[in-house]
Amino acid sequence: MRKALWGGVLAASLAVGGFTAHADDRFPPYDNTEEVKAFWKSKPDFFQWKTPADLPNDLKWENGGDLPEMGDPAAKKGGTFHDYIESFPATFRINGPDANGSFRSEHHDNILITLVQRHLNVEGWAPGLADEWAISPDKKTIYYRLCPTATYSDGVPVEVEDFFMTFFIMLSPHIQDPWYNDFYAKEFKAITKYDDHTFSITIPNLKPDPLWYADLPPSPRHFYKEFTDDYPARYQWRKSPTTGAYDILPDGIKKGRSVTLTRVKNWWAKDRKNFRYRFNPDFIEYKVVANMDKAFEMFRQGQLDFYIMGLPRYWYDKAEIPEIYNGYIERGIFYSVYPRISRGIYLNQSKPPLDNLDVRLGINHALNFKKVIEIDFRGDPNRMKSTFAGFGRYTNPALKPREFDVAKAEEYFTKAGFAKRGADGIRVNDKGQRLSLTLSLPNIGPMVQIAMRLKQEALKTGLDLGVEALDTTQLYKKIDQKNHEMCLVGWSAQPPYPRFWEYYHSDNAWKVQPDGTRKVVPDTNNVTMTADPSMDPIIDQQRVAPTEEEMQRLCWILEEMVEAKAVAIPGWESPWYRYGHWRWVRWPKDGNLKNSQLPLDTYVHWIDEDVKEETLEAKRAGKSFGETLRVFDQYKDQ
């Protein structure tokens, strides 16, 4: 019988850090009792058990009670919201191989309720799983009081030991996810239980706002009781019970066709402030539709309730339809304040000749994004100044992209040894090697058209770009394994600061073997394979920056260093998002919340079944409501 490496966290008594962790009969012992003992004993300063009497007397508990509600009291519960995804997810795991796909946000990141939540309309923190929290005077220990009624979607209570479990999982090599292994090893110093609902997390370094770093998700112990060295395969299609409003039930999975999220019955937070008017539809169905034009036609027919219309093709050309003229489908533009998607072309330095700086500089000048924006996007978006755009004071304002310039591109290519052109016009070096590289990209929307335009313009400089359009799941798998040369992708950025370690630190590029050779580290976000000994210590300093001023200084330095390496070529960005929705999908009167990246990620929308019936009846009768376009620009230029 295979032996599990984790089960009930308090399955045995052991002395830790001078305090005693007593057996807890609520959780049956598993085969892992001795492994658990050994693990805890190996970290006596990290896992600690104390009593309420050990809590500091001068703590100032906060609860975010003065912050406004997130969501609209007019919101209605019920109905099915129909959306789509380009490809079926490669896994339902939240970590490990293939877990970093785009659908993870839909079924986990945007759904999960952690200890606290950053308010999405004003500055401040609001309760999540924790009803209250307090920060120590040195700002290194954060104390939490859990909501006593918080449960997972399967009804099992959330308890302090589940946060202990998070560390065991994330520190384990079995998850095959170096980013989590590193983050949980370096960013935390201790976790301490005081009673069944009170605990603290200690971080090793002073931070500008420690709540960004000490806000953890729990890991349900009962779900991970079979956690062992075959975790990626064993848990490939297992969906963890969630603390959020939605779960994926077995009948909600139709392999290759759709995934449906079901609202949790009697969800623990359904009546709590900042949650009660959000997460409103009973079901969210994601159909797999690989072609955007097909998806738009399904939207027009009412099979989908919503469509992102940022691309001019959909905002202008395909909007010339009676469904929009008559107001059955409404459109909106919302200006938000959020770090921009880091959309651009990333160069893999482990693939020659991309290890040559002059080649990379030449490529930067050989890519005509200006023409892409003018023609393919009809001038709507702006050229992104850097792939770190949208982080406010932490974005270096001096950075700007290298413009398309045939002469400069040729100069750099010549300097790199590609001085001559072959009979086909492509540059070659003295060994006869052609300056030919493959650009990998998702096979969705206008991406192939954009890539072909970039290819056509690059030919003017003697650079040949092979265009490889892949299913998004295939693309991210290839990138995760670092098998690409160049990729045109967008990384979802998150506040408050740019993350340099996961994208540019040597640890996420190469691992030195005992014989001195280097081996590629897969399944990390360092897709440029940057490994710079002069850059690594600055990245390490940025991770522990104690003040906003120091954080800004280090961010600017690192952004300049990334720019100098010419490995991340900025694409395009917009301060708004544009969308269309059937009239029965409603949003709050202000459109959405300020700190939203896309229309749906705040879950403040709802379905009005009465309006749906009215709309469908009007459509049958040929009645028009008139065209509706709403522009929400209250946060423009902020």
Side-chain angles (χ1 to χ4, degrees):
M1 182 178 72
R2 185 180 297 274
K3 194 180 255 190
L5 295 184
W6 192 266
V9 176
L10 296 183
S13 289
L14 62 153
V16 182
F19 298 92
T20 301
H22 296 286
D24 192 333
D25 295 333
R26 288 173 300 174
F27 299 97
Y30 297 110
D31 293 339
N32 60 340
T33 300
E34 294 306 316
E35 288 87 350
V36 172
K37 286 183 179 180
F39 178 72
W40 278 337
K41 287 180 179 179
S42 70
K43 297 179 180 294
D45 295 327
F46 193 93
F47 297 99
Q48 301 183 21
W49 285 262
K50 299 184 180 181
T51 69
D54 297 305
L55 285 166
N57 295 322
D58 57 349
L59 292 177
K60 297 180 179 179
W61 292 91
E62 302 176 47
N63 59 21
D66 59 334
L67 300 178
E69 184 84 63
M70 285 190 282
D72 191 332
K76 296 182 178 181
K77 303 292 184 184
T80 300
F81 185 84
H82 301 279
D83 202 354
Y84 85 100
I85 51 178
E86 289 86 6
S87 63
F88 196 82
T91 182
F92 289 134
R93 282 183 283 98
I94 61 172
N95 48 41
D98 302 324
N100 198 28
S102 59
F103 190 65
R104 200 188 91 154
S105 295
E106 310 302 336
H107 78 77
H108 179 75
D109 299 355
N110 295 341
I111 302 295
L112 185 70
I113 305 301
T114 55
L115 289 165
V116 291
Q117 56 176 333
R118 191 69 175 174
H119 199 282
L120 298 177
N121 247 6
V122 298
E123 289 296 316
W125 292 92
L129 289 170
D131 280 341
E132 294 182 301
W133 58 93
I135 301 175
S136 64
D138 66 359
K139 295 186 178 181
K140 291 184 180 180
T141 299
I142 298 83
Y143 301 84
Y144 297 101
R145 287 175 176 159
L146 291 178
C147 171
T149 59
T151 64
Y152 295 103
S153 51
D154 57 4
V156 175
V158 177
E159 296 180 328
V160 170
E161 288 81 7
D162 294 330
F163 295 89
F164 284 57
M165 184 67 173
T166 294
F167 285 101
F168 184 87
I169 297 295
M170 296 307 185
L171 290 170
S172 172
H174 299 329
I175 65 174
Q176 297 181 28
D177 202 320
W179 187 89
Y180 283 113
N181 291 163
D182 179 271
F183 184 85
Y184 279 83
K186 293 181 179 177
E187 296 294 340
F188 303 95
K189 186 177 180 180
I191 179 169
T192 304
K193 176 180 177 179
Y194 295 92
D195 60 33
D196 286 344
H197 295 100
T198 309
F199 72 106
S200 68
I201 294 171
T202 302
I203 57 178
N205 306 105
L206 182 65
K207 302 287 188 180
D209 185 345
L211 282 175
W212 283 111
Y213 292 84
D215 178 28
L216 293 181
S219 297
R221 286 164 291 164
H222 60 290
F223 176 74
Y224 287 104
K225 66 183 180 181
E226 296 180 66
F227 182 83
T228 186
D229 56 358
D230 67 350
Y231 165 75
R234 183 181 289 250
Y235 281 81
Q236 181 78 358
W237 298 111
R238 295 187 186 183
K239 174 66 175 68
S240 171
T242 180
T243 57
Y246 293 100
D247 200 2
I248 299 176
L249 304 180
D251 61 358
I253 302 173
K254 297 179 180 178
K255 284 285 186 72
R257 293 184 293 162
S258 67
V259 181
T260 298
L261 275 61
T262 299
R263 192 151 62 89
V264 177
K265 292 182 179 179
N266 299 316
W267 181 42
W268 67 275
K270 65 184 179 68
D271 297 319
R272 294 170 66 86
K273 183 180 178 181
N274 291 314
F275 294 119
R276 55 190 169 189
Y277 304 133
R278 300 169 62 196
F279 308 102
N280 299 304
D282 283 340
F283 304 95
I284 304 176
E285 180 193 46
Y286 295 95
K287 293 184 175 74
V288 177
V289 186
N291 184 278
M292 290 184 70
D293 283 348
K294 180 180 178 181
F296 186 85
E297 186 58 31
M298 293 172 66
F299 170 57
R300 179 180 179 179
Q301 294 172 7
Q303 296 181 55
L304 302 178
D305 295 315
F306 168 88
Y307 198 87
I308 282 286
M309 300 179 70
L311 297 174
R313 173 180 176 81
Y314 302 104
W315 188 250
Y316 301 114
D317 303 340
K318 288 185 172 292
E320 302 289 334
I321 54 176
E323 289 83 359
I324 289 179
Y325 294 151
N326 292 321
Y328 311 141
I329 292 176
E330 302 177 346
R331 293 186 296 165
I333 303 174
F334 189 89
Y335 288 80
S336 66
V337 180
Y338 203 86
R340 303 301 176 210
I341 294 174
S342 298
R343 187 175 284 108
I345 291 180
Y346 295 84
L347 311 182
N348 184 348
Q349 296 173 85
S350 71
K351 305 290 186 181
L354 294 173
D355 55 346
N356 186 307
L357 175 60
D358 288 315
V359 169
R360 300 197 301 270
L361 287 168
I363 293 172
N364 274 249
H365 287 294
L367 299 178
N368 197 346
F369 273 110
K370 180 179 179 181
K371 196 166 188 177
V372 166
I373 291 171
E374 289 177 348
I375 297 178
D376 297 289
F377 291 113
R378 307 186 195 181
D380 285 351
N382 304 313
R383 178 76 193 272
M384 181 175 276
K385 292 183 178 179
S386 79
T387 51
F388 305 99
F391 284 95
R393 66 180 295 181
Y394 307 110
T395 295
N396 190 329
L399 296 183
K400 60 181 181 179
R402 297 175 178 90
E403 299 294 343
F404 177 71
D405 190 314
V406 173
K408 285 185 178 180
E410 291 179 328
E411 178 184 345
Y412 283 116
F413 290 149
T414 298
K415 189 176 178 182
F418 293 91
K420 301 177 181 179
R421 290 185 185 241
D424 58 359
I426 304 305
R427 291 184 169 273
V428 295
N429 61 16
D430 292 341
K431 298 179 181 180
Q433 295 172 329
R434 299 170 75 249
L435 186 58
S436 180
L437 295 161
T438 299
L439 175 61
S440 303
L441 60 141
N443 187 19
I444 56 175
M447 300 301 281
V448 174
Q449 177 183 336
I450 290 169
M452 294 303 296
R453 191 173 307 283
L454 292 173
K455 173 185 175 71
Q456 182 181 24
E457 293 294 298
L459 286 172
K460 298 176 183 178
T461 71
L463 169 64
D464 176 39
L465 290 179
V467 176
E468 180 184 50
L470 300 173
D471 169 271
T472 53
T473 298
Q474 293 176 315
L475 174 65
Y476 281 106
K477 188 173 186 65
K478 181 171 187 174
I479 293 172
D480 273 348
Q481 299 304 306
K482 316 298 175 66
N483 290 328
H484 63 291
E485 291 182 325
M486 303 168 57
C487 59
L488 174 56
V489 295
W491 298 103
S492 179
Q494 294 181 337
Y497 322 114
R499 296 183 177 184
F500 296 94
W501 184 85
E502 61 184 281
Y503 291 102
Y504 296 106
H505 198 283
S506 301
D507 289 351
N508 292 315
W510 300 98
K511 183 176 182 179
V512 179
Q513 303 300 298
D515 61 1
T517 60
R518 298 191 306 173
K519 183 180 179 180
V520 170
V521 178
D523 300 311
T524 75
N525 286 343
N526 190 344
V527 300
T528 64
M529 291 295 288
T530 297
D532 186 343
S534 68
M535 195 172 178
D536 289 344
I538 303 176
I539 292 176
D540 293 335
Q541 292 175 43
Q542 187 258 352
R543 291 184 77 178
V544 298
T547 65
E548 292 185 353
E549 290 72 22
E550 181 67 359
M551 178 66 73
Q552 174 182 299
R553 184 183 73 84
L554 293 170
C555 285
W556 286 20
I557 291 173
L558 288 167
E559 289 162 15
E560 289 176 354
M561 296 180 78
V562 173
E563 177 74 9
K565 289 187 174 299
V567 293
I569 305 172
W572 60 91
E573 64 166 334
S574 299
W576 40 255
Y577 45 75
R578 302 188 299 208
Y579 55 97
H581 60 92
W582 279 85
R583 186 169 169 266
W584 54 76
V585 181
R586 313 307 297 169
W587 269 269
K589 59 182 178 62
D590 291 332
N592 206 335
L593 303 181
K594 177 181 179 180
N595 293 292
S596 57
Q597 189 170 47
L598 291 169
L600 303 179
D601 55 17
T602 58
Y603 293 87
V604 294
H605 58 286
W606 69 91
I607 296 171
D608 192 316
E609 296 289 354
D610 294 333
V611 174
K612 184 172 185 177
E613 183 178 346
E614 176 189 49
T615 303
L616 294 176
E617 176 58 34
K619 189 172 183 291
R620 287 190 291 267
K623 174 186 174 183
S624 175
F625 298 103
E627 186 171 351
T628 298
L629 169 61
R630 297 184 179 91
V631 179
F632 303 95
D633 58 2
Q634 62 268 33
Y635 304 120
K636 187 176 182 180
D637 300 324
Q638 287 194 19

